[in-house]
Amino acid sequence: KTMAPGSVCSMLLLLGLCAGPMSVAGFNPHIRPSGDPNCPPEQVHLSLGKADGTSIVSFATCQEFSRVPTVFVGESPGQLDTKFSGTTHTYTDGGWEGKLHRVTITHSKPNTLYYYRCEGLNSTFSFLSKPELGSFPVHFRAVADLGADSTNPGAGNATISALAEKISDFPLLIHAGDIAYTKGDQYVWDDFFKEMQPAVANSYYQVCVGNHEHYYNFSGYLNRFAMPGPSGDFSSDNLFGSYDYGGVHFVFFSTEHSLHADSPQVKFLKSDLEKASQNRKKVPWIIGYAHKPLYCSTDDYYDCRVGGPLRIAKAVEHLFQKYDVDLFLAGHLHNYERSYPVYDRTHISTSYNPAPHTTHIVVGMAGSDEGLTYSFEKEKPDWSAVRHAALGFSEVHVLNATHLHFEYVLAENGTVFDSVDIVRERNNLEVEIKYEL
């Protein structure tokens, strides 16, 4: 959560009032040479395309790369017969040198294992295409506050390793902000994506922006990801957007930018949640994620007593309640906290069966060089069900139209520390869903 010194903007950013450029002295971040004169692709990661039946393959190369970025796709690793070409761009903030590439690939079959290879790279990756609209079960993992490999206590090395396992069981990974922990050194992005490639080249990697991405007006984040937003322009789509995945509608937004009622993203949230609520007959679940939480009780006065309740909740919680958002995932606090179903801090149900309000879960325990946060407020709020701090990640199983099973898994040994079953009533809707067993 710490901010780099040297700018008034860095302090204002804590209040969400500034997103201006920052420079970091002393760094010379160049993409690390691979030793291969052909300048092969590296840092491969996959994300959902905006249109159904599309995915986006993103990767980096050294600056000398001069070919058209190309990806070969097929249903067998030995028959990658379909060829797709993409676009190249770069950025130079922080002295970064290299090229970034995006290739949109199409695939007609839902819930199907596809294989792909980036031209110039020997490795072949695979992914399970997006499930059919309205289908169940849906399985995904979620993390927040995950940094590059570090020797510091509480770093996310064990989490990075664990996320590379059982990928076929969890074809979607959500990262709710604070990605890589570059501290302004754009070089760290390269290291992080290399470490994460075994996981994120073989599953969808869906992210939202956190405060640690603020350097150079978020340019590293904006240039390196490709999220499905409303405009088709990644400079804004990477900040807020939504997508359907099976029987779940996911919506994400930025807690680092304006949450004024007239801001583009709040207007988008209202419109998107209204449409998603009306579409519940086909897609029953609505799950939101952003970096900073509405609810937390870490011993952190600003984030848990001011920023959460007075800024973020004031801007969006009435929308969550009006449109029945089922689950909201966040990070920022480097620990785990699960709420009871709650609205406005006073309407609390200790039962999740059925859950009358949104359940809020902080999943900021993935690990970074800043370590974990073990200190909570002495008095646990009535809305708080479980608080804990150990390296871990979450696994979510949306079983059908009304039942969701959530687990907090310890990264170092795979033990499930906490779990909860969330049951939602659907107001007697005849939900049209398809089950994939």
Side-chain angles (χ1 to χ4, degrees), residues 13-30:
L13 188 71
L14 289 170
L15 302 176
L17 300 176
C18 179
M22 288 188 66
S23 62
V24 180
F27 292 120
N28 185 25
H30 305 289

Side-chain angles (χ1 to χ4, degrees), residues 351-366:
S351 172
Y352 298 86
N353 185 10
H357 309 295
T358 306
T359 300
H360 297 256
I361 305 182
V362 173
V363 292
M365 65 290 185

Side-chain angles (χ1 to χ4, degrees), residues 172-191:
L172 172 66
L173 172 61
I174 289 172
H175 192 154
D178 276 10
I179 306 165
Y181 283 75
T182 69
K183 295 181 173 63
D185 181 355
Q186 302 301 290
Y187 204 170
V188 176
W189 282 112
D190 304 323
D191 292 339

Side-chain angles (χ1 to χ4, degrees), residues 295-297 337-342 345 348 381-385:
Y295 288 84
C296 61
S297 64
E337 185 164 17
R338 168 167 59 85
S339 82
Y340 291 115
V342 59
R345 283 173 163 70
I348 303 166
D382 292 341
W383 52 258
S384 181

Side-chain angles (χ1 to χ4, degrees), residues 304-318:
C304 297
R305 295 294 187 94
V306 180
L310 300 183
R311 177 176 177 260
I312 305 171
K314 184 179 179 180
V316 302
E317 191 175 17
H318 67 287

Side-chain angles (χ1 to χ4, degrees), residues 15-312:
L15 302 176
L17 300 176
C18 179
M22 288 188 66
S23 62
V24 180
F27 292 120
N28 185 25
H30 305 289
I31 190 168
R32 289 183 176 175
S34 64
D36 188 330
N38 294 318
C39 202
E42 59 179 64
Q43 308 173 41
V44 181
H45 52 287
L46 186 73
S47 58
L48 290 163
K50 188 172 181 179
D52 286 340
T54 64
S55 303
I56 300 175
V57 179
S58 301
F59 59 90
T61 63
C62 65
Q63 199 171 34
E64 290 72 28
F65 185 92
S66 59
R67 304 186 301 275
V68 174
T70 302
V71 173
F72 299 93
V73 182
E75 292 185 47
S76 166
Q79 290 184 310
L80 305 180
D81 299 329
T82 309
K83 177 181 176 181
F84 299 92
S85 299
T87 61
T88 297
H89 64 284
T90 191
Y91 72 106
T92 58
D93 294 316
W96 190 77
E97 294 182 359
K99 289 183 178 179
L100 300 168
H101 314 274
R102 296 183 181 123
V103 180
T104 298
I105 62 176
T106 61
H107 34 80
S108 58
K109 299 179 182 178
N111 199 43
T112 299
L113 187 63
Y114 284 93
Y115 297 85
Y116 72 97
R117 179 178 62 82
C118 302
E119 186 177 47
L121 189 63
N122 291 328
S123 301
T124 298
F125 307 103
S126 64
F127 67 97
L128 193 65
S129 61
K130 188 167 74 169
E132 188 173 354
L133 186 70
S135 64
F136 292 98
V138 170
H139 306 285
F140 68 95
R141 284 169 165 165
V143 297
D145 302 85
L146 178 59
D149 197 326
S150 170
T151 58
N152 291 3
N157 307 14
T159 303
I160 293 173
S161 297
L163 293 175
E165 300 175 358
K166 299 195 300 181
I167 297 175
S168 60
D169 295 335
F170 298 94
L172 172 66
L173 172 61
I174 289 172
H175 192 154
D178 276 10
I179 306 165
Y181 283 75
T182 69
K183 295 181 173 63
D185 181 355
Q186 302 301 290
Y187 204 170
V188 176
W189 282 112
D190 304 323
D191 292 339
F192 179 76
F193 276 117
K194 290 177 185 179
E195 295 159 10
M196 289 290 289
Q197 181 174 287
V200 300
N202 295 289
S203 64
Y204 290 113
Y205 189 36
Q206 303 300 118
V207 303
C208 68
V209 70
N211 56 288
H212 273 275
E213 287 79 80
H214 76 281
Y215 297 95
Y216 308 105
N217 204 20
F218 302 91
S219 62
Y221 170 86
L222 293 173
N223 279 283
R224 290 174 181 265
F225 290 102
M227 294 297 106
S231 71
D233 179 357
F234 292 122
S235 64
S236 60
D237 285 352
N238 282 339
L239 298 177
F240 58 90
S242 66
Y243 51 94
D244 293 324
Y245 188 90
V248 181
H249 180 77
F250 289 96
V251 60
F252 63 95
F253 62 94
S254 170
T255 54
E256 312 314 302
H257 294 77
S258 174
L259 289 170
H260 189 274
D262 291 330
S263 66
Q265 65 172 344
V266 172
K267 287 182 176 179
F268 166 79
L269 273 176
K270 184 179 185 302
S271 173
D272 183 79
L273 289 175
E274 183 176 15
K275 292 176 183 176
S277 180
Q278 294 171 353
N279 194 40
R280 274 208 147 106
K281 189 175 181 180
K282 291 184 177 179
V283 183
W285 288 86
I286 301 177
I287 297 178
Y289 58 96
H291 181 56
K292 292 174 182 172
L294 284 66
Y295 288 84
C296 61
S297 64
T298 300
D299 189 13
D300 183 321
Y301 180 81
Y302 177 77
D303 288 312
C304 297
R305 295 294 187 94
V306 180
L310 300 183
R311 177 176 177 260
I312 305 171

